[in-house]
Amino acid sequence: MADPLQAALNEALNSLVQTRPENPVEFLAQKFAELANATETEEEDPRIAASHAKRRLNVYAEPMRFDPNDGWQPPVHPKSDEAKNAIAAVMQRNFLLNTLDGEQQEILKNAFLEKNVSAGSTIITQGDEGDNFYIIHKGICEIFVKGVGLVLTCREGDSFGELALMYDAPRAATVVAKTDCDLLALDRITFKRILMDTTMRKRELYKNFLERVPILESLTSVERLTLADALEEAEYDEGDFIIEEGDDGTSFYLIMDGECKCTKKNEGGEEVEVFRRLTTGDYFGEIALLRKQPRAASIIATRRVKTVSIEEEAFVRLLGPLEDILKRNMSSYDVWQQKANANPAADDAAVDTQ
């Protein structure tokens, strides 16, 4: 499906999981009808679409309890490089999968099972219990909702069936193969074990890092978890600028792995180190959550670096202005106000890099 339709489907599923209505089928039918009307009359501003994408958080059904010592191993189904590439492409577009690291994505690629269906075959029936997540490798499928009719047409590279893996509810739509199709299917248990294990492990790790950030000490435990869920991962190669001196400061960063140097340009325009090397567990750019100021120094990767970050706009959308949070502790508030209002060119500003 075209990107706007995939985004619309993701929005509908997110709304369902967050709202948790008594009648999920009726809820989705109404949601699809609203989306259909909206796409006929409005072309969404890309900036709004980006904002919507940032607002999406990983969401799941009631937690499935797994014993990490039960000896479970993910299934491995041999497949062609072409099929693996199709899975990788879908992972990059799917908001549930694109935050998984390389190791987790490789496990999922191997766990998909190739499945051939004939034209006219029903792949998913509305009201049935969910079992698999599907990717269309070849062919065309159509999605129908009772009371609405045809809501989506899916083609090569598209995916469907996430609902069963996110939310304990009957199938919310029927999917029929319009042509002969080669599908890639992932069972619910494998998907949930990999995704939930990764998510919960990262969530706890991020929360622990956030607890060590002084400017965020006034956050409650729930607020830290909310913030942890919204952090975005990125990777940088040696020599890459993560932030650059003089640029507008809009994001706060945590280093999950790797090493960075802090530099400022001298009169000759050369980058000179002005602070100790930053490594795993360090953070920078926190003042950006409080004030939009030019970066006081550059942060450059000295080897491959993985970070997580959040923009000031996303922080405000989730928790409100940081200034209001700091006011819970007025002594802390006064300290950070003085720091934020300080001359960004001061020698010690490189410690925080703004």
Side-chain angles (χ1 to χ4, degrees):
M1 68 191 75
D3 285 344
L5 289 179
Q6 180 70 61
L9 178 57
N10 286 344
E11 284 285 356
L13 296 178
N14 251 347
S15 297
L16 175 64
V17 177
Q18 293 172 357
T19 305
R20 304 178 77 83
E22 292 184 2
N23 189 331
V25 173
E26 182 180 330
F27 176 89
L28 271 185
Q30 181 179 353
K31 193 70 177 178
F32 281 131
E34 292 173 358
L35 290 171
N37 291 334
T39 53
E40 291 176 0
T41 59
E42 177 181 320
E43 181 174 351
E44 186 173 41
D45 187 313
R47 292 169 297 180
I48 298 175
S51 175
H52 288 175
K54 290 175 185 174
R55 192 175 62 242
R56 298 187 187 112
L57 305 178
N58 287 342
V59 285
Y60 307 97
E62 292 301 317
M64 298 175 67
R65 301 298 180 186
F66 299 120
D67 180 358
N69 300 313
D70 62 6
W72 178 86
Q73 293 292 325
V76 176
H77 300 293
K79 57 185 65 67
S80 66
D81 289 340
E82 182 184 6
K84 283 191 174 184
N85 289 338
I87 297 170
V90 169
M91 285 182 172
Q92 292 306 309
R93 296 197 303 270
N94 188 284
F95 79 102
L96 286 174
L97 302 177
N98 60 15
T99 59
L100 296 180
D101 59 32
E103 179 183 356
Q104 299 293 338
Q105 290 195 8
E106 191 63 29
I107 291 174
L108 288 187
K109 286 180 196 176
N110 290 327
F112 274 92
L113 176 66
E114 294 184 278
K115 183 176 180 180
N116 306 115
V117 297
S118 303
S121 300
T122 298
I123 303 164
I124 287 175
T125 301
Q126 184 171 339
D128 283 359
E129 182 180 354
D131 52 1
N132 290 318
F133 166 60
Y134 294 93
I135 293 173
I136 302 175
H137 188 199
K138 295 179 182 178
I140 300 174
C141 297
E142 293 180 324
I143 300 179
F144 299 87
V145 173
K146 291 178 182 178
V148 178
L150 177 65
V151 293
L152 291 172
T153 298
C154 305
R155 295 177 171 80
E156 181 176 325
D158 293 332
S159 59
F160 55 88
E162 297 101 321
L163 184 58
L165 310 179
M166 294 161 49
Y167 189 61
D168 287 335
R171 292 290 194 185
T174 294
V175 181
V176 178
K178 185 176 182 180
T179 66
D180 291 345
C181 293
D182 294 341
L183 303 177
L184 295 160
L186 180 69
D187 69 275
R188 176 173 174 262
I189 297 299
T190 300
F191 184 96
K192 282 205 142 185
R193 286 195 73 133
I194 297 300
L195 199 63
M196 290 179 68
D197 174 71
T198 301
T199 299
M200 297 308 294
R201 180 165 43 85
K202 287 183 178 180
R203 192 187 201 207
E204 188 64 23
L205 177 64
Y206 296 167
K207 183 179 77 71
N208 290 338
F209 275 124
L210 292 171
E211 287 175 348
R212 302 203 299 266
V213 180
I215 199 172
L216 302 177
E217 65 182 6
S218 296
L219 292 179
T220 66
S221 179
V222 172
E223 287 171 333
R224 284 195 186 92
L225 287 174
T226 300
L227 189 57
D229 285 339
L231 293 172
E232 297 184 358
E233 291 187 0
E235 294 188 359
Y236 302 88
D237 292 324
E238 180 181 352
D240 286 349
F241 281 74
I242 302 175
I243 64 175
E244 192 164 358
E245 182 181 357
D247 286 353
D248 290 337
T250 59
S251 297
F252 160 62
Y253 295 84
L254 289 162
I255 300 176
M256 307 310 296
D257 188 45
E259 181 187 79
C260 303
K261 62 182 179 180
C262 308
T263 69
K264 292 174 71 73
K265 289 183 179 179
N266 61 19
E267 293 181 357
E270 298 176 334
E271 298 288 346
V272 179
E273 287 194 53
V274 293
F275 191 57
R276 67 171 177 83
R277 295 286 175 100
L278 302 178
T279 59
T280 302
D282 287 328
Y283 57 89
F284 54 90
E286 66 271 24
I287 296 297
L289 299 179
L290 191 58
R291 290 283 188 277
K292 290 185 178 179
Q293 294 179 342
R295 299 292 193 185
S298 297
I299 302 294
I300 305 172
T302 56
R303 54 186 172 89
R304 189 158 184 81
V305 171
K306 177 185 285 188
T307 69
V308 292
S309 65
I310 187 166
E311 292 186 352
E312 183 269 343
E313 181 182 347
F315 185 98
V316 171
R317 187 166 56 246
L318 288 169
L319 301 177
L322 178 58
E323 186 172 359
D324 292 345
I325 293 171
L326 289 174
K327 287 179 180 178
R328 298 171 187 170
N329 183 335
M330 289 307 297
S331 60
S332 175
Y333 172 73
D334 291 340
V335 169
W336 286 105
Q337 281 291 346
Q338 292 172 12
K339 206 167 198 177
N341 293 328
N343 179 4
D347 291 341
D348 61 350
V351 174
D352 300 303
T353 72
Q354 305 299 321

